[in-house]
Amino acid sequence: MSDSRLKLYVDAQFTSPYAMSDFVVLREKGIDFEVIPLDLDTLENQADGYASLSLTQRVPTLVHGDFALSESSAIAEYLEETFPQVPVYPQDRQQRAKARQIQAWLRSDLMPIRQERSTLVVFYGIQSGPLSPVAEAATRKLFAAAQALLADGRENLFDQWSIADVDLALMLNRLVLNGDAVPAVLVEYAQRQWQRASVQEWVRFQRPAL
C-alpha cells in the first residue's frame, strides 16, 4: 500500500495538532508519503508555490498526484475513502459519525484551552501559569465530555482505536503536560494514546529551537 506521489505539508516546528493528526492517519494506514515542513514564521505558507496548492494557505495540505487538499478533517476523510484497507474511523456508521463529531468539536470549541495551553507545552515543554476562569470553564466542559465518552472504562472512544482518540488525547495533554489538575482516568487515557508508534514518531521529530 504505497504511493510515492503523496506529500504532506506540515509546520516546520511540528507543533500543529492538525498536521499531526493527518500524519498519524497516513502512518497508521501504512501509506508511503513525504513530509514537507514549511516555516510559518517566515510566511512560507504564503509563497506563490504553496499558495497555488493550498486554498487556505494553511497546514496541513495533502498532495496526491495532481490533487491537493487542505484542512485536516477533509484530508483524513479523503485518505479513509481512498485507502480503506486499514480504517482509522469506526466501521459502524453511527460510531463513525460520533468520531467526526468529536473531531469537529475539538477543532471548533474550547478556544480558551487552545489559547492558554498551546501545543508548545506538548512538544517543547514550555509550561504556562494558572488557567483563567474562562479556561477553567472550558476544561470542565472538556472533562465532562471525555468522562462521559469513556464512562465504562474503555481504552478507546469506540470499539476500536480511531483517529479521534489521538485528537482527544492531544487536547487533554495540553493540560496534563502543563501539570494542570486532570482526572486520573483521563490522564491514563491520554498517556496510553500517546504511546502509539505513529504518535511517538511525530513527538520525536527534531524541532528547531524557538
Side-chain angles (χ1 to χ4, degrees):
M1 190 189 306
S2 65
D3 192 325
S4 59
R5 295 174 298 168
L6 279 159
K7 299 177 182 178
L8 184 68
Y9 288 84
V10 306
D11 61 303
Q13 293 178 334
F14 299 100
T15 57
S16 166
Y18 314 116
M20 172 184 166
S21 185
D22 287 333
F23 175 90
V24 169
V25 168
L26 286 158
R27 276 290 183 257
E28 292 285 340
K29 286 182 172 292
I31 302 169
D32 290 337
F33 68 102
E34 179 183 1
V35 174
I36 302 178
L38 294 177
D39 189 338
L40 305 186
D41 290 338
T42 61
L43 304 181
E44 283 188 350
N45 55 306
Q46 296 180 20
D48 290 344
Y50 187 70
S52 66
L53 285 176
S54 173
L55 180 68
T56 61
Q57 298 183 25
R58 302 201 299 179
V59 296
T61 287
L62 178 78
V63 176
H64 187 192
D66 58 2
F67 175 71
L69 183 67
S70 300
E71 297 304 306
S72 58
S73 293
I75 292 170
E77 292 182 20
Y78 171 77
L79 292 169
E80 185 78 337
E81 294 179 4
T82 306
F83 302 93
Q85 296 90 335
V86 180
V88 297
Y89 284 97
Q91 296 301 285
D92 176 81
R93 182 180 300 171
Q94 292 185 345
Q95 288 191 352
R96 186 164 61 251
K98 185 71 74 171
R100 287 169 171 162
Q101 171 191 297
I102 292 166
Q103 286 187 295
W105 173 58
L106 292 171
R107 284 161 168 73
S108 63
D109 198 1
L110 309 172
M111 180 60 77
I113 298 175
R114 288 185 277 149
Q115 289 177 330
E116 298 184 29
R117 296 293 181 264
S118 80
T119 52
L120 292 179
V121 68
V122 177
F123 300 115
Y124 277 90
I126 298 176
Q127 298 186 342
S128 300
L131 292 165
S132 67
V134 68
E136 288 181 348
T139 64
R140 289 193 294 271
K141 184 178 181 180
L142 171 64
F143 296 162
Q147 288 176 304
L149 290 164
L150 300 165
D152 58 359
R154 59 178 57 223
E155 292 191 356
N156 301 306
L157 289 166
F158 305 103
D159 297 335
Q160 301 291 331
W161 173 89
S162 76
I163 189 59
D165 284 298
V166 171
D167 290 350
L168 178 57
L170 191 145
M171 182 62 77
L172 291 168
N173 271 334
R174 292 172 183 265
L175 300 159
V176 172
L177 297 175
N178 194 74
D180 297 303
V182 178
V185 65
L186 300 183
V187 173
E188 293 169 4
Y189 166 80
Q191 291 175 339
R192 185 168 54 249
Q193 297 297 332
W194 220 239
Q195 293 311 306
R196 291 189 75 86
S198 57
V199 174
Q200 280 297 301
E201 185 177 352
W202 178 272
V203 170
R204 291 171 179 165
F205 268 124
Q206 189 70 34
R207 292 176 169 81
L210 292 177

